[in-house]
Amino acid sequence: MKNILIVADGIVAKHFLERLFVSRSSTHHYVVIACGDEDYSDVNLENFTFYRFDPTSLDRLRQVASGYFSQFMIMLKDGFDTVSVYNNLRQISKKTEILMLDLWGLGGLEDDSHLTILDARAVLTARLMDFLPDIPVVADNLGLGKGEIMEVKVPVGSSFMYRHISSITQKKWRIAMIYRGSNFMIAKPNLMILPGDVLLIVGEPSVLLSVFRSVKKETGQFPNPFGHNIYLFLDMKKMGEKLCIRLLEQSLKLHEKLNNRRLFVKVVNPALNLAYEKLKSVNDEMATVMFDYFGGGVGQIKDDVFKNDVGLVVTDNKFFAAHKRLLFELKKPVAAIGKSDIDEIKKGVVLSSGFGDEIESQSAVIMDCCSQLDMPITLYHFGRSGADEEMEEHFDSLAKIFGRKIEVVEDKNSNPILRLKKERNLLQFVPFTKKISKKDAFAAFSNDMNRLYARLSDNYQIFIPIN
C-alpha cells in the first residue's frame, strides 16, 4: 500500500475527490489536506485521512508530509498558493514525485525531473478539438502523448474502405485495432475495413498524420492522392507532329474529365509546324505550356513532376517502353494513350491471375478513375484462387460506393488477353511494379497477365504505382 498526499482546494479538486470516493479504491492510503470550504466529514472510508489547514505554512505542512509518501498531488484554485505549496513540499522531500494541476500557465519549473505539470488548458483544448470533424484524435494520456497513438474514422468514399488489412502498406505505422459499433476487433490480415469503422493506429506521429489525411480523402479525387496536376512531356523532334497533336488533344480531354487542378505541358525541341501552333493556341487558364528551346532531355521530367505536384503523367506506349525505368522512379500513375479516342473508351479492365493484393492496394484509385470517366469496370480472372475471391468481394463492395457497375469474368482455361487483344476501346489498369519497369524477355511464358501488358498497348493503359 502506497501513501499519497493530496492538497486540495477548488471545484476541480472537489470533483476529483468525489470521483475517488466513488471508486472506493482501497489499494492505497490517501492523506487529504483540504484548505477550502468543502466538508468531507461525512466520508467514511478507512483509507482516507483528512486535515484542514493552510498548506502554504511550511511548519504545519511538514507535520503531515514529513512521513514517507510515494506521491504528492497539488490541486489548488490559486496560482500563487500552488507555487508556494510546491516549494514547501520540495523543502520537505527533494525526490518525491509531484503532480501539479496548472490552470494559469506556470513556468520556471521545467528543471524538476520529479515534477509532472498537468496543463488543464491544454487538456480541455485537446478534448474540445476531438469533437471537431476531420481532426485527428490522439492519445494525450497514453504512451509518450506525442501523437504516436491515434484514432481515425473511415468515411464513406475513403480509399481505405472495403480493403483487407493485408493489402495496406504499413511502413512505420500499424493498424492495431478496429472499432465497429460497440465491438472491437484485433487487426488481422484478412479483416476487411468497412465505412464507419474507427481505426486505432500506432506509429511515428508524422506518419500517422499522413495516414489520417489518406483515410479521410473521399471519392472523385483522382489523380489525388498522388498529386493534383496532370503532366505531358513532348519532344517534338523525336515524337513527330501527328503524335504531339494527338497527345495534346488527349491530355486536354483528360484534364477536362478528371478532377485535377492544372495541366502542365513541357515541350522540348520545338518545331514550327501545326503542333506548335496548337500548343501556342491552348486556351485554358488551367493549362500551362512550357517551351524549352535549349534542347533539354527527359532528365528534367523528374524535376517537373515534383515541382508541379503532378499526380498523373500522360505519354504514349512507345515513350513508356523506352523510359519506363525513369517513369517507375517517379512513383506516379502513367497514362499511355491508345489508338482510339478517350471518348470512345467503353469500360475499364483489371486482369487478375492470382496476384490480387497488388491490385487491391490501389483499387479505390481504379474505381475513382472509372467513376470520373463514367465507365463500368470488368474484372477478368484467369484461374482461380482465394486471393481472387477476396478481391472480387472487395471490388463488388467498392462498386456500390462509387456507383459503378462491375462485371466479373471467370475463365480457368482461356487467357482473357487473347479475347481482349482485338478490342480498341478499353482502359486497362496495370500495377506499376518493379517487374514492369524492367526488360522482361520471359514475359510471354508468365502466368502473370500484367507482365503481358504490351499485348494490349493499342488500348489506353494506366500504370498505377504499387508500394
Side-chain angles (χ1 to χ4, degrees):
M1 177 180 288
K2 296 180 179 179
N3 292 327
I4 299 174
L5 175 68
I6 302 175
V7 184
D9 183 23
I11 188 65
V12 176
K14 180 175 182 293
H15 280 279
F16 170 77
L17 289 173
E18 288 176 349
R19 186 165 181 175
L20 188 59
F21 298 154
V22 171
S23 70
R24 294 188 175 275
S25 172
S26 59
T27 307
H28 308 300
H29 183 258
Y30 299 94
V31 176
V32 180
I33 300 175
C35 47
D37 299 330
E38 292 78 9
D39 184 10
Y40 300 111
S41 58
D42 58 339
V43 177
N44 186 21
L45 296 172
E46 293 183 354
N47 59 320
F48 280 83
T49 303
F50 293 93
Y51 296 90
R52 185 177 296 278
F53 61 84
D54 181 4
T56 60
S57 171
L58 177 59
D59 292 335
R60 291 187 176 182
L61 186 60
R62 193 189 302 274
Q63 294 178 9
V64 174
S66 58
Y68 171 75
F69 286 92
S70 62
Q71 185 181 31
F72 297 144
M73 300 182 70
I74 307 173
M75 288 175 282
L76 300 175
K77 63 182 180 180
D78 183 83
F80 183 82
D81 289 348
T82 297
V83 175
S84 297
V85 172
Y86 163 77
N87 289 330
N88 288 344
L89 290 173
R90 269 294 166 253
Q91 290 188 53
I92 297 170
S93 175
K94 299 292 185 183
K95 295 184 178 181
T96 302
E97 296 293 330
I98 297 180
L99 173 65
M100 185 172 73
L101 178 65
D102 180 8
L103 303 170
W104 314 272
L106 301 175
L109 303 174
E110 293 80 6
D111 294 336
D112 189 345
S113 60
H114 298 284
L115 171 65
T116 301
I117 298 177
L118 182 61
D119 190 332
R121 297 173 305 172
V123 173
L124 287 173
T125 301
R127 190 72 182 106
L128 290 171
M129 291 288 290
D130 291 346
F131 289 94
L132 294 176
D134 298 333
I135 297 294
V137 179
V138 299
D140 294 318
N141 58 344
L142 293 177
L144 300 177
K146 295 182 178 180
E148 75 278 8
I149 306 174
M150 182 183 294
E151 280 187 1
V152 54
K153 187 174 183 179
V154 180
V156 174
S158 168
S159 61
F160 277 62
M161 64 186 181
Y162 295 115
R163 287 179 62 179
H164 295 95
I165 290 178
S166 61
S167 73
I168 300 172
T169 302
Q170 300 174 59
K171 187 176 182 180
K172 295 187 178 181
W173 72 282
R174 290 288 184 273
I175 299 174
M177 189 176 292
I178 295 180
Y179 296 94
R180 184 171 296 163
S182 58
N183 300 317
F184 67 88
M185 295 164 285
I186 303 298
K188 297 180 180 180
N190 62 347
L191 184 61
M192 180 178 282
I193 298 172
L194 302 180
D197 283 353
V198 176
L199 309 182
L200 181 67
I201 57 179
V202 296
E204 292 280 349
S206 59
V207 176
L208 294 188
L209 288 174
S210 177
V211 173
F212 176 85
R213 288 190 290 268
S214 297
V215 173
K216 290 296 183 181
K217 284 177 181 173
E218 299 181 357
T219 60
Q221 302 298 316
F222 185 78
N224 222 4
F226 301 98
H228 294 95
N229 303 310
I230 297 176
Y231 178 81
L232 170 64
F233 179 84
L234 296 178
D235 187 334
M236 296 186 70
K237 182 178 179 180
K238 294 182 178 180
M239 291 181 171
E241 180 181 349
K242 290 184 178 180
L243 180 57
C244 288
I245 293 174
R246 178 163 169 70
L247 281 167
L248 176 63
E249 291 175 347
Q250 297 302 300
S251 297
L252 287 170
K253 288 184 178 181
L254 277 172
H255 172 54
E256 180 182 350
K257 292 176 178 290
L258 296 179
N259 192 24
N260 61 293
R261 293 178 183 172
R262 297 191 67 87
L263 167 64
F264 290 94
V265 182
K266 186 61 170 286
V267 184
V268 300
N269 300 315
L272 296 177
N273 54 28
L274 182 59
Y276 180 82
E277 295 300 323
K278 287 185 175 292
L279 286 164
K280 294 289 286 186
S281 62
V282 171
N283 186 23
D284 189 331
E285 61 180 12
M286 299 306 292
T288 302
V289 180
M290 305 170 289
F291 290 94
D292 181 358
Y293 295 95
F294 302 99
V298 296
Q300 59 190 299
I301 292 178
K302 184 176 291 187
D303 290 337
D304 286 343
V305 165
F306 291 106
K307 180 174 65 176
N308 296 305
D309 189 24
V310 171
L312 177 66
V313 178
V314 181
T315 187
D316 70 315
N317 50 43
K318 185 177 180 180
F319 185 90
F320 177 84
H323 303 284
K324 55 185 179 180
R325 182 180 293 274
L326 169 65
L327 296 172
F328 174 75
E329 292 174 354
L330 298 177
K331 301 298 182 183
K332 306 286 184 180
V334 179
I337 67 170
K339 291 185 176 180
S340 60
D341 191 277
I342 190 172
D343 293 327
E344 299 173 353
I345 295 177
K346 295 179 180 179
K347 64 180 179 181
V349 171
V350 176
L351 304 181
S352 171
S353 50
F355 301 89
D357 285 347
E358 291 181 347
I359 285 292
E360 183 176 341
S361 66
Q362 295 296 353
S363 53
V365 172
I366 294 172
M367 296 299 297
D368 191 355
C369 183
C370 288
S371 177
Q372 292 187 61
L373 296 176
D374 193 23
M375 64 177 67
I377 187 168
T378 301
L379 178 61
Y380 287 91
H381 286 302
F382 178 50
R384 193 67 175 166
S385 69
D388 286 336
E389 294 177 359
E390 288 185 356
M391 187 170 69
E392 181 182 330
E393 174 194 5
H394 172 72
F395 269 92
D396 186 56
S397 301
L398 282 178
K400 298 174 184 177
I401 298 297
F402 285 88
R404 294 292 95 196
K405 179 182 178 182
I406 184 167
E407 179 186 6
V408 179
V409 178
E410 301 177 21
D411 198 329
K412 296 182 179 180
N413 302 311
S414 177
N415 192 325
I417 288 182
L418 301 177
R419 183 190 315 175
L420 298 174
K421 190 176 180 180
K422 298 179 181 179
E423 298 194 33
R424 294 291 182 271
N425 301 320
L426 305 176
L427 171 57
Q428 181 191 7
F429 294 94
V430 184
F432 201 175
T433 62
K434 198 168 185 178
K435 291 180 181 179
I436 300 293
S437 71
K438 298 178 179 180
K439 292 182 180 180
D440 196 352
F442 299 99
F445 305 101
S446 173
N447 290 327
D448 184 354
M449 290 186 292
N450 291 307
R451 291 173 62 185
L452 302 171
Y453 71 91
R455 297 192 178 185
L456 298 179
S457 59
D458 287 344
N459 292 283
Y460 256 85
Q461 293 175 313
I462 294 183
F463 298 85
I464 301 177
I466 303 295
N467 292 325

